[in-house]
Amino acid sequence: MAKKTEIMMDGYFDILEKVKERIVEAQYRVMTTANVERNILYWNIGKVIVEYSQWGGKFVENLSKDLRMEYPGTEGYSVRNLNYMKQFALRMQSEDILHQVGAKISWKAIKLLIDKTDNLEEHLWYTQQCIENGWSSTVLVHQIESNLYERQALVEKSTNFRKQLMEPLGEQAEEIIKDPYIFDFIPASKRLKETELENALVQQITKLLLEFGSGFAFMGHQYPITVGNREFFIDLLFYNVKLHCYFVVELKTVEFEPEFAGKLSFYLSAIDGELKSEKDNPTIGLVLCKGKDKLVAEYALKDINKPMGISGYKLSNKISDDLQENLPTIEDIESRINN
C-alpha cells in the first residue's frame, strides 16, 4: 500500500510541475500582452499630442496635470513621459510596424531607442535584437554605445559565407559577424602577445560571449584536435546553437596576412572531419586580427573553399593598471622640468 502511495505521490508531483509551468507561461503571456497594450496606448496618446501640437508647450503640461488628477496613482502621465509618447508616435508612423515589432519591447527600452538612435531603421533593428536575444535595458545601452548596428548591420563584411554555404545559412552566418569586435574590457597595449590576448578574453568570458552575441557556447581555448599523428591547438572554439555549427576563431595581434586564411581553412577541415556530427552544419571560422586591408582580405578569401570571415578588433583606450603604476606622476614631471 505504501509503495502505491509513493507512486501516486510521484505522479502528483509531476502533475504539479506541469501546472506550475502552465501558470508561469500564462503569467509571462499576460505580462507581455500588458506591456504591448500599454505601449500601443502610449503611441495613441502620442498621436493625439502630435495632432494638437500647434496648441503650444502648455498643452502637454495641462494634459499631464489633468490626466494625473483624473487617474490618481497611475504612473506614466508626467510631462516628460508624454513627450516621449509624442516622439514615439513621430518615430513609429506605421501602425502595421507598431503592431508587428515596435510595441513588443519594454517602454524603458523604447525610450532608450528614441534617445540613442537616429532613425526608424536603426530603432527597429535594435528592437528586433531585443526581442530575439532578450536584452535587458542595460545590455541594450551597451550595444548601442558600442555601435553594434554599424558594426553588424551596415558594415561591408569580409566573408565568403554566401558563396560557401547554402541559403539561408550563408545569410544567417554573415549576420552574426561584426567588424570590428569591441573588447573594451581589455586595456590596449603595444606589446600584447597573442597568448596574452587569448588569456585576457577567456578570463572575461561572459563579456566575450556578450560581444560575440546570442547563440554562442564557449567550447575552450587552445582546443586540442588530433590529425594523423600530430596534435593541433585551436585558439578559440565555440558552438553556435542557432546555426548548429562549430565556430573557430584564429586570433592575431597583427594586421591580416593571406597565410592566416590557409591555416584557418585547415582547422575548419579538421573540425569537420574529426568533431562535426552528421546533424551539424559545416564549421565556419573567423580570423580576428588587429586590422586588415579589405582588398587583400577579398583576394585571400576568393579561392578558399571553406566558409570563413575576417574581422578586426579594438581594445579599450583605458590604460592598464600595470602601465598606470609605471607612469610618472605630475610631481615627477614638474621636477624633471625644473631640473
Side-chain angles (χ1 to χ4, degrees), residues 68-101:
R68 284 184 290 175
M69 288 179 60
E70 187 71 23
Y71 304 102
T74 303
E75 298 180 356
Y77 298 130
S78 66
V79 172
R80 178 180 173 82
N81 215 41
L82 289 177
N83 280 320
Y84 271 117
M85 296 177 201
K86 175 183 176 182
Q87 294 302 316
F88 186 38
L90 288 170
R91 175 68 64 86
M92 203 73 55
Q93 295 188 15
S94 167
E95 192 165 353
D96 289 338
I97 295 176
L98 172 76
H99 287 278
Q100 290 172 11
V101 181

PDB file of all heavy atoms in Angstrom, residues 68-101:
ATOM      1  N   ARG A  68      -3.252  63.187 -14.513  1.00  0.00           N
ATOM      2  CA  ARG A  68      -2.838  62.712 -13.195  1.00  0.00           C
ATOM      3  C   ARG A  68      -3.926  62.965 -12.147  1.00  0.00           C
ATOM      4  O   ARG A  68      -4.061  62.202 -11.194  1.00  0.00           O
ATOM      5  CB  ARG A  68      -1.521  63.362 -12.785  1.00  0.00           C
ATOM      6  CG  ARG A  68      -0.309  62.757 -13.509  1.00  0.00           C
ATOM      7  CD  ARG A  68       0.998  63.330 -13.036  1.00  0.00           C
ATOM      8  NE  ARG A  68       1.147  64.722 -13.462  1.00  0.00           N
ATOM      9  CZ  ARG A  68       2.165  65.509 -13.113  1.00  0.00           C
ATOM     10  NH1 ARG A  68       3.108  65.040 -12.307  1.00  0.00           N
ATOM     11  NH2 ARG A  68       2.240  66.739 -13.555  1.00  0.00           N
ATOM     12  N   MET A  69      -4.710  64.034 -12.338  1.00  0.00           N
ATOM     13  CA  MET A  69      -5.840  64.287 -11.436  1.00  0.00           C
ATOM     14  C   MET A  69      -6.965  63.286 -11.687  1.00  0.00           C
ATOM     15  O   MET A  69      -7.611  62.808 -10.754  1.00  0.00           O
ATOM     16  CB  MET A  69      -6.361  65.714 -11.633  1.00  0.00           C
ATOM     17  CG  MET A  69      -5.438  66.794 -11.081  1.00  0.00           C
ATOM     18  SD  MET A  69      -6.094  68.471 -11.358  1.00  0.00           S
ATOM     19  CE  MET A  69      -7.641  68.388 -10.465  1.00  0.00           C
ATOM     20  N   GLU A  70      -7.156  62.957 -12.986  1.00  0.00           N
ATOM     21  CA  GLU A  70      -8.242  62.041 -13.359  1.00  0.00           C
ATOM     22  C   GLU A  70      -7.931  60.605 -12.954  1.00  0.00           C
ATOM     23  O   GLU A  70      -8.822  59.833 -12.585  1.00  0.00           O
ATOM     24  CB  GLU A  70      -8.468  62.119 -14.870  1.00  0.00           C
ATOM     25  CG  GLU A  70      -9.664  61.344 -15.370  1.00  0.00           C
ATOM     26  CD  GLU A  70     -10.987  61.994 -14.965  1.00  0.00           C
ATOM     27  OE1 GLU A  70     -11.015  63.218 -14.689  1.00  0.00           O
ATOM     28  OE2 GLU A  70     -11.996  61.247 -14.901  1.00  0.00           O
ATOM     29  N   TYR A  71      -6.612  60.245 -13.038  1.00  0.00           N
ATOM     30  CA  TYR A  71      -6.195  58.877 -12.726  1.00  0.00           C
ATOM     31  C   TYR A  71      -5.113  58.894 -11.648  1.00  0.00           C
ATOM     32  O   TYR A  71      -3.952  58.610 -11.911  1.00  0.00           O
ATOM     33  CB  TYR A  71      -5.673  58.170 -13.983  1.00  0.00           C
ATOM     34  CG  TYR A  71      -6.669  58.163 -15.115  1.00  0.00           C
ATOM     35  CD1 TYR A  71      -6.550  59.046 -16.181  1.00  0.00           C
ATOM     36  CD2 TYR A  71      -7.744  57.278 -15.106  1.00  0.00           C
ATOM     37  CE1 TYR A  71      -7.464  59.050 -17.211  1.00  0.00           C
ATOM     38  CE2 TYR A  71      -8.672  57.272 -16.138  1.00  0.00           C
ATOM     39  CZ  TYR A  71      -8.537  58.168 -17.185  1.00  0.00           C
ATOM     40  OH  TYR A  71      -9.453  58.173 -18.205  1.00  0.00           O
ATOM     41  N   PRO A  72      -5.492  59.250 -10.412  1.00  0.00           N
ATOM     42  CA  PRO A  72      -4.501  59.319  -9.337  1.00  0.00           C
ATOM     43  C   PRO A  72      -3.904  57.945  -9.052  1.00  0.00           C
ATOM     44  O   PRO A  72      -4.600  56.918  -9.108  1.00  0.00           O
ATOM     45  CB  PRO A  72      -5.320  59.835  -8.139  1.00  0.00           C
ATOM     46  CG  PRO A  72      -6.733  59.455  -8.449  1.00  0.00           C
ATOM     47  CD  PRO A  72      -6.858  59.540  -9.934  1.00  0.00           C
ATOM     48  N   GLY A  73      -2.615  57.917  -8.796  1.00  0.00           N
ATOM     49  CA  GLY A  73      -1.948  56.650  -8.519  1.00  0.00           C
ATOM     50  C   GLY A  73      -1.482  55.930  -9.764  1.00  0.00           C
ATOM     51  O   GLY A  73      -0.797  54.905  -9.667  1.00  0.00           O
ATOM     52  N   THR A  74      -1.854  56.443 -10.930  1.00  0.00           N
ATOM     53  CA  THR A  74      -1.415  55.828 -12.192  1.00  0.00           C
ATOM     54  C   THR A  74      -0.169  56.535 -12.690  1.00  0.00           C
ATOM     55  O   THR A  74      -0.168  57.750 -12.883  1.00  0.00           O
ATOM     56  CB  THR A  74      -2.521  55.927 -13.264  1.00  0.00           C
ATOM     57  OG1 THR A  74      -3.705  55.305 -12.772  1.00  0.00           O
ATOM     58  CG2 THR A  74      -2.075  55.244 -14.550  1.00  0.00           C
ATOM     59  N   GLU A  75       0.903  55.775 -12.881  1.00  0.00           N
ATOM     60  CA  GLU A  75       2.152  56.363 -13.363  1.00  0.00           C
ATOM     61  C   GLU A  75       2.147  56.464 -14.887  1.00  0.00           C
ATOM     62  O   GLU A  75       1.395  55.776 -15.569  1.00  0.00           O
ATOM     63  CB  GLU A  75       3.343  55.511 -12.906  1.00  0.00           C
ATOM     64  CG  GLU A  75       3.501  55.422 -11.397  1.00  0.00           C
ATOM     65  CD  GLU A  75       4.687  54.571 -10.996  1.00  0.00           C
ATOM     66  OE1 GLU A  75       5.334  53.992 -11.888  1.00  0.00           O
ATOM     67  OE2 GLU A  75       4.956  54.473  -9.786  1.00  0.00           O
ATOM     68  N   GLY A  76       3.000  57.329 -15.396  1.00  0.00           N
ATOM     69  CA  GLY A  76       3.190  57.374 -16.842  1.00  0.00           C
ATOM     70  C   GLY A  76       2.687  58.624 -17.513  1.00  0.00           C
ATOM     71  O   GLY A  76       2.866  58.781 -18.727  1.00  0.00           O
ATOM     72  N   TYR A  77       2.051  59.540 -16.756  1.00  0.00           N
ATOM     73  CA  TYR A  77       1.472  60.713 -17.400  1.00  0.00           C
ATOM     74  C   TYR A  77       2.207  62.000 -17.035  1.00  0.00           C
ATOM     75  O   TYR A  77       1.626  63.091 -17.059  1.00  0.00           O
ATOM     76  CB  TYR A  77      -0.012  60.835 -17.042  1.00  0.00           C
ATOM     77  CG  TYR A  77      -0.821  59.651 -17.535  1.00  0.00           C
ATOM     78  CD1 TYR A  77      -1.688  58.972 -16.688  1.00  0.00           C
ATOM     79  CD2 TYR A  77      -0.695  59.209 -18.849  1.00  0.00           C
ATOM     80  CE1 TYR A  77      -2.422  57.877 -17.131  1.00  0.00           C
ATOM     81  CE2 TYR A  77      -1.415  58.117 -19.304  1.00  0.00           C
ATOM     82  CZ  TYR A  77      -2.277  57.452 -18.449  1.00  0.00           C
ATOM     83  OH  TYR A  77      -2.983  56.367 -18.895  1.00  0.00           O
ATOM     84  N   SER A  78       3.481  61.880 -16.730  1.00  0.00           N
ATOM     85  CA  SER A  78       4.289  63.080 -16.497  1.00  0.00           C
ATOM     86  C   SER A  78       4.518  63.802 -17.820  1.00  0.00           C
ATOM     87  O   SER A  78       4.348  63.221 -18.908  1.00  0.00           O
ATOM     88  CB  SER A  78       5.638  62.697 -15.883  1.00  0.00           C
ATOM     89  OG  SER A  78       6.407  61.937 -16.810  1.00  0.00           O
ATOM     90  N   VAL A  79       4.915  65.059 -17.732  1.00  0.00           N
ATOM     91  CA  VAL A  79       5.208  65.840 -18.942  1.00  0.00           C
ATOM     92  C   VAL A  79       6.309  65.158 -19.745  1.00  0.00           C
ATOM     93  O   VAL A  79       6.226  65.035 -20.976  1.00  0.00           O
ATOM     94  CB  VAL A  79       5.630  67.273 -18.569  1.00  0.00           C
ATOM     95  CG1 VAL A  79       6.119  68.035 -19.808  1.00  0.00           C
ATOM     96  CG2 VAL A  79       4.469  68.022 -17.916  1.00  0.00           C
ATOM     97  N   ARG A  80       7.334  64.697 -19.048  1.00  0.00           N
ATOM     98  CA  ARG A  80       8.452  64.026 -19.711  1.00  0.00           C
ATOM     99  C   ARG A  80       7.981  62.784 -20.472  1.00  0.00           C
ATOM    100  O   ARG A  80       8.348  62.571 -21.630  1.00  0.00           O
ATOM    101  CB  ARG A  80       9.508  63.648 -18.670  1.00  0.00           C
ATOM    102  CG  ARG A  80      10.713  62.899 -19.218  1.00  0.00           C
ATOM    103  CD  ARG A  80      11.683  62.583 -18.087  1.00  0.00           C
ATOM    104  NE  ARG A  80      12.766  61.733 -18.524  1.00  0.00           N
ATOM    105  CZ  ARG A  80      13.858  62.143 -19.153  1.00  0.00           C
ATOM    106  NH1 ARG A  80      13.990  63.428 -19.438  1.00  0.00           N
ATOM    107  NH2 ARG A  80      14.800  61.288 -19.509  1.00  0.00           N
ATOM    108  N   ASN A  81       7.131  61.971 -19.834  1.00  0.00           N
ATOM    109  CA  ASN A  81       6.679  60.740 -20.477  1.00  0.00           C
ATOM    110  C   ASN A  81       5.733  61.035 -21.638  1.00  0.00           C
ATOM    111  O   ASN A  81       5.750  60.335 -22.656  1.00  0.00           O
ATOM    112  CB  ASN A  81       6.004  59.827 -19.457  1.00  0.00           C
ATOM    113  CG  ASN A  81       6.263  58.360 -19.743  1.00  0.00           C
ATOM    114  OD1 ASN A  81       7.368  57.964 -20.108  1.00  0.00           O
ATOM    115  ND2 ASN A  81       5.240  57.540 -19.594  1.00  0.00           N
ATOM    116  N   LEU A  82       4.902  62.051 -21.492  1.00  0.00           N
ATOM    117  CA  LEU A  82       4.011  62.426 -22.591  1.00  0.00           C
ATOM    118  C   LEU A  82       4.819  62.882 -23.812  1.00  0.00           C
ATOM    119  O   LEU A  82       4.445  62.600 -24.957  1.00  0.00           O
ATOM    120  CB  LEU A  82       3.056  63.536 -22.151  1.00  0.00           C
ATOM    121  CG  LEU A  82       1.963  63.134 -21.149  1.00  0.00           C
ATOM    122  CD1 LEU A  82       1.136  64.349 -20.737  1.00  0.00           C
ATOM    123  CD2 LEU A  82       1.044  62.059 -21.742  1.00  0.00           C
ATOM    124  N   ASN A  83       5.913  63.573 -23.567  1.00  0.00           N
ATOM    125  CA  ASN A  83       6.768  63.983 -24.685  1.00  0.00           C
ATOM    126  C   ASN A  83       7.433  62.781 -25.355  1.00  0.00           C
ATOM    127  O   ASN A  83       7.649  62.779 -26.568  1.00  0.00           O
ATOM    128  CB  ASN A  83       7.821  64.978 -24.208  1.00  0.00           C
ATOM    129  CG  ASN A  83       7.262  66.382 -24.074  1.00  0.00           C
ATOM    130  OD1 ASN A  83       6.463  66.832 -24.909  1.00  0.00           O
ATOM    131  ND2 ASN A  83       7.653  67.103 -23.031  1.00  0.00           N
ATOM    132  N   TYR A  84       7.742  61.763 -24.547  1.00  0.00           N
ATOM    133  CA  TYR A  84       8.263  60.520 -25.142  1.00  0.00           C
ATOM    134  C   TYR A  84       7.189  59.854 -26.015  1.00  0.00           C
ATOM    135  O   TYR A  84       7.485  59.301 -27.078  1.00  0.00           O
ATOM    136  CB  TYR A  84       8.725  59.547 -24.060  1.00  0.00           C
ATOM    137  CG  TYR A  84      10.168  59.710 -23.658  1.00  0.00           C
ATOM    138  CD1 TYR A  84      10.517  60.079 -22.360  1.00  0.00           C
ATOM    139  CD2 TYR A  84      11.206  59.482 -24.571  1.00  0.00           C
ATOM    140  CE1 TYR A  84      11.851  60.229 -21.986  1.00  0.00           C
ATOM    141  CE2 TYR A  84      12.532  59.625 -24.202  1.00  0.00           C
ATOM    142  CZ  TYR A  84      12.849  59.992 -22.915  1.00  0.00           C
ATOM    143  OH  TYR A  84      14.165  60.139 -22.561  1.00  0.00           O
ATOM    144  N   MET A  85       5.941  59.886 -25.554  1.00  0.00           N
ATOM    145  CA  MET A  85       4.853  59.334 -26.360  1.00  0.00           C
ATOM    146  C   MET A  85       4.750  60.057 -27.695  1.00  0.00           C
ATOM    147  O   MET A  85       4.532  59.435 -28.742  1.00  0.00           O
ATOM    148  CB  MET A  85       3.529  59.442 -25.589  1.00  0.00           C
ATOM    149  CG  MET A  85       3.474  58.633 -24.308  1.00  0.00           C
ATOM    150  SD  MET A  85       1.914  58.901 -23.423  1.00  0.00           S
ATOM    151  CE  MET A  85       2.362  58.406 -21.758  1.00  0.00           C
ATOM    152  N   LYS A  86       4.910  61.364 -27.654  1.00  0.00           N
ATOM    153  CA  LYS A  86       4.886  62.161 -28.886  1.00  0.00           C
ATOM    154  C   LYS A  86       6.012  61.721 -29.819  1.00  0.00           C
ATOM    155  O   LYS A  86       5.797  61.513 -31.023  1.00  0.00           O
ATOM    156  CB  LYS A  86       5.017  63.646 -28.533  1.00  0.00           C
ATOM    157  CG  LYS A  86       5.115  64.561 -29.749  1.00  0.00           C
ATOM    158  CD  LYS A  86       5.314  66.007 -29.320  1.00  0.00           C
ATOM    159  CE  LYS A  86       5.511  66.901 -30.540  1.00  0.00           C
ATOM    160  NZ  LYS A  86       5.750  68.331 -30.137  1.00  0.00           N
ATOM    161  N   GLN A  87       7.224  61.577 -29.278  1.00  0.00           N
ATOM    162  CA  GLN A  87       8.368  61.160 -30.092  1.00  0.00           C
ATOM    163  C   GLN A  87       8.174  59.742 -30.626  1.00  0.00           C
ATOM    164  O   GLN A  87       8.567  59.437 -31.759  1.00  0.00           O
ATOM    165  CB  GLN A  87       9.658  61.231 -29.256  1.00  0.00           C
ATOM    166  CG  GLN A  87      10.055  62.643 -28.850  1.00  0.00           C
ATOM    167  CD  GLN A  87      10.246  63.557 -30.057  1.00  0.00           C
ATOM    168  OE1 GLN A  87      10.860  63.170 -31.050  1.00  0.00           O
ATOM    169  NE2 GLN A  87       9.708  64.750 -29.968  1.00  0.00           N
ATOM    170  N   PHE A  88       7.551  58.891 -29.832  1.00  0.00           N
ATOM    171  CA  PHE A  88       7.274  57.518 -30.253  1.00  0.00           C
ATOM    172  C   PHE A  88       6.324  57.519 -31.451  1.00  0.00           C
ATOM    173  O   PHE A  88       6.528  56.785 -32.429  1.00  0.00           O
ATOM    174  CB  PHE A  88       6.686  56.740 -29.082  1.00  0.00           C
ATOM    175  CG  PHE A  88       6.481  55.268 -29.330  1.00  0.00           C
ATOM    176  CD1 PHE A  88       7.403  54.528 -30.062  1.00  0.00           C
ATOM    177  CD2 PHE A  88       5.359  54.620 -28.814  1.00  0.00           C
ATOM    178  CE1 PHE A  88       7.217  53.154 -30.273  1.00  0.00           C
ATOM    179  CE2 PHE A  88       5.176  53.261 -29.025  1.00  0.00           C
ATOM    180  CZ  PHE A  88       6.109  52.537 -29.761  1.00  0.00           C
ATOM    181  N   ALA A  89       5.301  58.334 -31.390  1.00  0.00           N
ATOM    182  CA  ALA A  89       4.342  58.430 -32.493  1.00  0.00           C
ATOM    183  C   ALA A  89       4.988  59.006 -33.749  1.00  0.00           C
ATOM    184  O   ALA A  89       4.697  58.574 -34.863  1.00  0.00           O
ATOM    185  CB  ALA A  89       3.148  59.285 -32.071  1.00  0.00           C
ATOM    186  N   LEU A  90       5.881  59.981 -33.560  1.00  0.00           N
ATOM    187  CA  LEU A  90       6.574  60.562 -34.704  1.00  0.00           C
ATOM    188  C   LEU A  90       7.545  59.560 -35.327  1.00  0.00           C
ATOM    189  O   LEU A  90       7.690  59.504 -36.555  1.00  0.00           O
ATOM    190  CB  LEU A  90       7.337  61.816 -34.270  1.00  0.00           C
ATOM    191  CG  LEU A  90       6.490  63.045 -33.940  1.00  0.00           C
ATOM    192  CD1 LEU A  90       7.344  64.130 -33.286  1.00  0.00           C
ATOM    193  CD2 LEU A  90       5.820  63.587 -35.201  1.00  0.00           C
ATOM    194  N   ARG A  91       8.220  58.768 -34.490  1.00  0.00           N
ATOM    195  CA  ARG A  91       9.185  57.793 -34.983  1.00  0.00           C
ATOM    196  C   ARG A  91       8.476  56.607 -35.647  1.00  0.00           C
ATOM    197  O   ARG A  91       8.890  56.131 -36.707  1.00  0.00           O
ATOM    198  CB  ARG A  91      10.047  57.324 -33.813  1.00  0.00           C
ATOM    199  CG  ARG A  91      11.039  56.202 -34.091  1.00  0.00           C
ATOM    200  CD  ARG A  91      12.184  56.600 -34.998  1.00  0.00           C
ATOM    201  NE  ARG A  91      13.055  57.604 -34.451  1.00  0.00           N
ATOM    202  CZ  ARG A  91      14.104  57.368 -33.644  1.00  0.00           C
ATOM    203  NH1 ARG A  91      14.363  56.129 -33.261  1.00  0.00           N
ATOM    204  NH2 ARG A  91      14.871  58.357 -33.238  1.00  0.00           N
ATOM    205  N   MET A  92       7.413  56.108 -35.018  1.00  0.00           N
ATOM    206  CA  MET A  92       6.730  54.892 -35.463  1.00  0.00           C
ATOM    207  C   MET A  92       5.432  55.284 -36.158  1.00  0.00           C
ATOM    208  O   MET A  92       4.341  55.127 -35.617  1.00  0.00           O
ATOM    209  CB  MET A  92       6.444  53.999 -34.253  1.00  0.00           C
ATOM    210  CG  MET A  92       6.260  52.537 -34.569  1.00  0.00           C
ATOM    211  SD  MET A  92       7.759  51.669 -34.999  1.00  0.00           S
ATOM    212  CE  MET A  92       8.808  52.015 -33.587  1.00  0.00           C
ATOM    213  N   GLN A  93       5.516  55.794 -37.380  1.00  0.00           N
ATOM    214  CA  GLN A  93       4.332  56.326 -38.048  1.00  0.00           C
ATOM    215  C   GLN A  93       3.464  55.249 -38.684  1.00  0.00           C
ATOM    216  O   GLN A  93       2.297  55.489 -38.982  1.00  0.00           O
ATOM    217  CB  GLN A  93       4.754  57.355 -39.101  1.00  0.00           C
ATOM    218  CG  GLN A  93       5.418  58.579 -38.485  1.00  0.00           C
ATOM    219  CD  GLN A  93       5.672  59.675 -39.490  1.00  0.00           C
ATOM    220  OE1 GLN A  93       5.130  59.676 -40.581  1.00  0.00           O
ATOM    221  NE2 GLN A  93       6.507  60.641 -39.115  1.00  0.00           N
ATOM    222  N   SER A  94       4.021  54.057 -38.906  1.00  0.00           N
ATOM    223  CA  SER A  94       3.245  52.963 -39.485  1.00  0.00           C
ATOM    224  C   SER A  94       2.623  52.123 -38.372  1.00  0.00           C
ATOM    225  O   SER A  94       3.329  51.569 -37.533  1.00  0.00           O
ATOM    226  CB  SER A  94       4.143  52.082 -40.361  1.00  0.00           C
ATOM    227  OG  SER A  94       3.477  50.879 -40.687  1.00  0.00           O
ATOM    228  N   GLU A  95       1.296  52.016 -38.399  1.00  0.00           N
ATOM    229  CA  GLU A  95       0.611  51.229 -37.374  1.00  0.00           C
ATOM    230  C   GLU A  95       0.901  49.737 -37.541  1.00  0.00           C
ATOM    231  O   GLU A  95       0.940  48.986 -36.567  1.00  0.00           O
ATOM    232  CB  GLU A  95      -0.896  51.492 -37.431  1.00  0.00           C
ATOM    233  CG  GLU A  95      -1.649  50.943 -36.239  1.00  0.00           C
ATOM    234  CD  GLU A  95      -3.050  51.505 -36.124  1.00  0.00           C
ATOM    235  OE1 GLU A  95      -3.397  52.420 -36.899  1.00  0.00           O
ATOM    236  OE2 GLU A  95      -3.794  51.022 -35.244  1.00  0.00           O
ATOM    237  N   ASP A  96       1.126  49.301 -38.782  1.00  0.00           N
ATOM    238  CA  ASP A  96       1.449  47.893 -39.026  1.00  0.00           C
ATOM    239  C   ASP A  96       2.773  47.515 -38.362  1.00  0.00           C
ATOM    240  O   ASP A  96       2.888  46.477 -37.706  1.00  0.00           O
ATOM    241  CB  ASP A  96       1.548  47.616 -40.537  1.00  0.00           C
ATOM    242  CG  ASP A  96       0.189  47.653 -41.210  1.00  0.00           C
ATOM    243  OD1 ASP A  96      -0.822  47.481 -40.503  1.00  0.00           O
ATOM    244  OD2 ASP A  96       0.142  47.862 -42.436  1.00  0.00           O
ATOM    245  N   ILE A  97       3.798  48.378 -38.529  1.00  0.00           N
ATOM    246  CA  ILE A  97       5.104  48.120 -37.909  1.00  0.00           C
ATOM    247  C   ILE A  97       4.985  48.159 -36.395  1.00  0.00           C
ATOM    248  O   ILE A  97       5.609  47.371 -35.686  1.00  0.00           O
ATOM    249  CB  ILE A  97       6.149  49.137 -38.400  1.00  0.00           C
ATOM    250  CG1 ILE A  97       6.392  48.961 -39.897  1.00  0.00           C
ATOM    251  CG2 ILE A  97       7.464  48.998 -37.636  1.00  0.00           C
ATOM    252  CD1 ILE A  97       7.332  49.981 -40.500  1.00  0.00           C
ATOM    253  N   LEU A  98       4.172  49.074 -35.884  1.00  0.00           N
ATOM    254  CA  LEU A  98       3.955  49.178 -34.437  1.00  0.00           C
ATOM    255  C   LEU A  98       3.467  47.849 -33.876  1.00  0.00           C
ATOM    256  O   LEU A  98       3.998  47.356 -32.875  1.00  0.00           O
ATOM    257  CB  LEU A  98       2.934  50.279 -34.141  1.00  0.00           C
ATOM    258  CG  LEU A  98       2.472  50.372 -32.682  1.00  0.00           C
ATOM    259  CD1 LEU A  98       3.551  51.008 -31.835  1.00  0.00           C
ATOM    260  CD2 LEU A  98       1.167  51.150 -32.575  1.00  0.00           C
ATOM    261  N   HIS A  99       2.473  47.249 -34.522  1.00  0.00           N
ATOM    262  CA  HIS A  99       1.884  46.011 -34.014  1.00  0.00           C
ATOM    263  C   HIS A  99       2.794  44.804 -34.258  1.00  0.00           C
ATOM    264  O   HIS A  99       2.835  43.889 -33.442  1.00  0.00           O
ATOM    265  CB  HIS A  99       0.515  45.778 -34.656  1.00  0.00           C
ATOM    266  CG  HIS A  99      -0.551  46.700 -34.146  1.00  0.00           C
ATOM    267  ND1 HIS A  99      -1.230  46.470 -32.973  1.00  0.00           N
ATOM    268  CD2 HIS A  99      -1.046  47.870 -34.635  1.00  0.00           C
ATOM    269  CE1 HIS A  99      -2.099  47.446 -32.760  1.00  0.00           C
ATOM    270  NE2 HIS A  99      -2.013  48.305 -33.762  1.00  0.00           N
ATOM    271  N   GLN A 100       3.534  44.806 -35.369  1.00  0.00           N
ATOM    272  CA  GLN A 100       4.387  43.667 -35.688  1.00  0.00           C
ATOM    273  C   GLN A 100       5.638  43.610 -34.820  1.00  0.00           C
ATOM    274  O   GLN A 100       6.045  42.545 -34.360  1.00  0.00           O
ATOM    275  CB  GLN A 100       4.788  43.722 -37.166  1.00  0.00           C
ATOM    276  CG  GLN A 100       3.638  43.444 -38.117  1.00  0.00           C
ATOM    277  CD  GLN A 100       4.015  43.700 -39.567  1.00  0.00           C
ATOM    278  OE1 GLN A 100       5.176  43.883 -39.900  1.00  0.00           O
ATOM    279  NE2 GLN A 100       3.025  43.752 -40.431  1.00  0.00           N
ATOM    280  N   VAL A 101       6.261  44.763 -34.612  1.00  0.00           N
ATOM    281  CA  VAL A 101       7.554  44.800 -33.921  1.00  0.00           C
ATOM    282  C   VAL A 101       7.637  45.892 -32.869  1.00  0.00           C
ATOM    283  O   VAL A 101       8.038  45.666 -31.733  1.00  0.00           O
ATOM    284  CB  VAL A 101       8.714  45.005 -34.942  1.00  0.00           C
ATOM    285  CG1 VAL A 101      10.060  45.023 -34.213  1.00  0.00           C
ATOM    286  CG2 VAL A 101       8.697  43.933 -36.007  1.00  0.00           C
TER     287      VAL A 101
END
